[in-house]
Amino acid sequence: MTQDLPARMLRLLSLLQTRRAWTGAELADRLSVTLRTIRRDIDRLRSLGYPVEGTTGQAGGYRLAPGAALPPLLLDDDEAVAIAVALRTAAAGVAGIEETALRALAKLEQVLPVRLRHQVATIQAAAAPLPVPWSTGPEADPSTLAMLAAACRDHEIVTFTYRRGSGETGHRRVEPHALVAADPVWYLVAYDTEQEQWRLFRVDRLTDPAPTGHRTTPRALPAPDAAAYVAARLAAAPARYALHATVPADAATARARTYSLPGRVHPVDDRTSTLDLAGDNPRRIAEQLLGIDLGPDETIAGTPELAPHLEELGQRLLRAARALTRPDEHGSGKDTPDDATDDNGAGDQ
């Protein structure tokens, strides 16, 4: 019994770190011990300096109180490596996180065993990120993301001021469900308690978020998961330009080649699908069309105002093609270096 105690206390501390609050019964069930044993182990953790608080009410139990005196977190090998790699790459779409991530990484690597430091370095060397222009966009505040993530985890109602696309602002009181990163935009999926309906909020348009301290029972999301809900809402959003076409490709191929949301592509049969493109940026729609062959003219319809934008992009490509096919007057044409492309012609992409 005495030999098993240290390991059990470590498991207890690990559980307390994964959630805001646990009931004594939940902890006892997870550790396969009695409530009396849980109470005794909690007292020993407190004597070691861990600020474990007791909570009251129907959902009363135990939680780790935040504070500067909190002893180090417990991480297993896989968790430590995952955190270090994530800090090295620094999450996209989060404002000002790069410098903060480097400071946190320096602290973590000081205490990592040599074997784990080697793993982190190996993964990072083989998976260096490539900054790309199309991944840039509105950035979310990291402290806001952290607060919303905690509220989602704890099912705690939050309030905030929200600015709509039209510029109109208003007060919101919601039950957070999940955060979804749709590169580079972060979305909060939440139930609006005043409108009594599920809503989608862009985190970069959200200000003055504040937890209320009021926890609620989680509601059933009207979708298989949060990502599916976001995809469906984005696909159904009104847009200035739209194009509908029947294309000679199966739905999976059409989605992949046009980078479309699931709700924008519908199968007709194994070789044909319908494509609904929409947005306020006509160039984006034109670029999507470049990735796939279109069917006959009579299967294409959409916003007439989109036509000149498509024609403009087509003329640009045509001029570039004509320039490439003209004889080289200066004889300066050069072959592609052997190391500029792989065996599959990846350099052409």
Side-chain angles (χ1 to χ4, degrees), residues 10 46 77 147 154 183 207 220-221 262 272 294 301 312 334 339 348:
L10 289 176
R46 288 168 174 164
D77 288 0
M147 193 279 289
D154 300 331
D183 189 22
T207 55
L221 185 69
T272 312
L294 296 177
E312 180 184 0
K334 296 181 180 180
D339 60 353
D348 295 336

Side-chain angles (χ1 to χ4, degrees), residues 245-251 254 265-269 271-275 292:
T246 300
V247 297
D250 62 85
V265 181
H266 303 280
V268 175
D269 53 42
R271 299 183 179 180
T272 312
S273 58
T274 59
L275 182 65
I292 197 166

Side-chain angles (χ1 to χ4, degrees), residues 209-226:
T212 64
H214 180 67
R215 298 173 65 185
T216 184
T217 303
R219 297 176 186 267
L221 185 69
D225 52 55

Side-chain angles (χ1 to χ4, degrees), residues 11-334:
R11 289 181 58 199
L12 172 59
L13 183 57
S14 179
L15 288 173
L16 290 171
Q17 290 173 345
T18 60
R19 233 166 70 177
R20 181 172 181 179
W22 292 84
T23 66
E26 288 174 329
L27 293 172
D29 182 64
R30 287 294 189 97
L31 299 176
S32 300
V33 296
T34 64
L35 281 172
R36 181 179 178 181
T37 300
I38 291 295
R39 287 192 289 268
R40 185 170 64 244
D41 287 352
I42 290 292
D43 288 339
R44 295 195 180 186
L45 286 177
R46 288 168 174 164
S47 68
L48 293 174
Y50 289 86
V52 182
E53 292 182 343
T55 61
T56 59
Q58 185 176 2
Y62 302 99
R63 68 180 181 185
L64 275 176
L70 181 65
L73 297 175
L74 295 177
L75 300 173
D76 61 30
D77 288 0
D78 291 341
E79 291 170 339
V81 170
I83 291 175
V85 171
L87 289 171
R88 278 183 177 271
T89 55
V94 182
I97 200 173
E98 295 86 356
E99 182 181 350
T100 304
L102 289 176
R103 292 200 307 267
L105 177 63
K107 294 178 181 179
L108 178 60
E109 288 190 334
Q110 284 181 353
V111 297
L112 281 179
V114 174
R115 57 188 174 81
L116 295 187
R117 263 183 266 170
H118 177 70
Q119 286 186 34
V120 172
T122 301
I123 294 173
Q124 189 64 26
L130 173 66
V132 289
W134 56 84
S135 68
T136 60
E139 295 180 327
D141 179 69
S143 61
T144 297
L145 285 173
M147 193 279 289
L148 293 175
C152 292
R153 178 198 63 197
D154 300 331
H155 313 299
E156 181 177 2
I157 292 178
V158 299
T159 61
F160 52 81
T161 300
Y162 189 71
R163 175 178 55 83
R164 304 182 64 179
S166 62
E168 177 188 357
T169 61
H171 181 78
R172 299 288 188 272
R173 180 183 175 89
V174 305
E175 299 173 8
H177 178 82
L179 287 167
V180 176
D183 189 22
V185 180
W186 284 84
Y187 291 97
L188 171 67
V189 178
Y191 185 84
D192 191 315
T193 60
E194 296 178 353
Q195 298 293 328
E196 296 186 344
Q197 61 180 336
W198 286 94
R199 300 290 298 274
L200 191 63
F201 301 96
R202 280 179 50 161
V203 177
D204 60 292
R205 295 178 179 172
L206 186 155
T207 55
D208 302 321
T212 64
H214 180 67
R215 298 173 65 185
T216 184
T217 303
R219 297 176 186 267
L221 185 69
D225 52 55
Y229 178 80
V230 172
R233 288 295 302 269
L234 294 180
R240 182 176 179 182
Y241 301 100
L243 183 140
H244 174 86
T246 300
V247 297
D250 62 85
T253 300
R255 275 197 61 203
R257 291 183 178 177
T258 59
Y259 300 97
S260 296
L261 293 168
R264 301 283 192 187
V265 181
H266 303 280
V268 175
D269 53 42
D270 293 342
R271 299 183 179 180
T272 312
S273 58
T274 59
L275 182 65
D276 291 292
L277 302 180
D280 294 332
N281 185 349
R283 182 170 181 176
R284 167 61 177 161
I285 297 176
E287 292 170 347
Q288 287 180 282
L289 290 175
L290 293 177
I292 197 166
D293 295 329
L294 296 177
D297 291 350
E298 61 269 18
T299 66
I300 303 174
T303 309
E305 291 77 13
L306 179 61
H309 298 283
L310 300 181
E311 184 175 0
E312 180 184 0
L313 182 57
Q315 290 296 334
R316 290 180 182 177
L317 295 175
L318 184 58
R319 286 196 299 271
R322 288 170 178 169
L324 292 175
T325 56
R326 285 200 303 265
D328 190 343
E329 298 177 359
H330 305 288
S332 58
K334 296 181 180 180

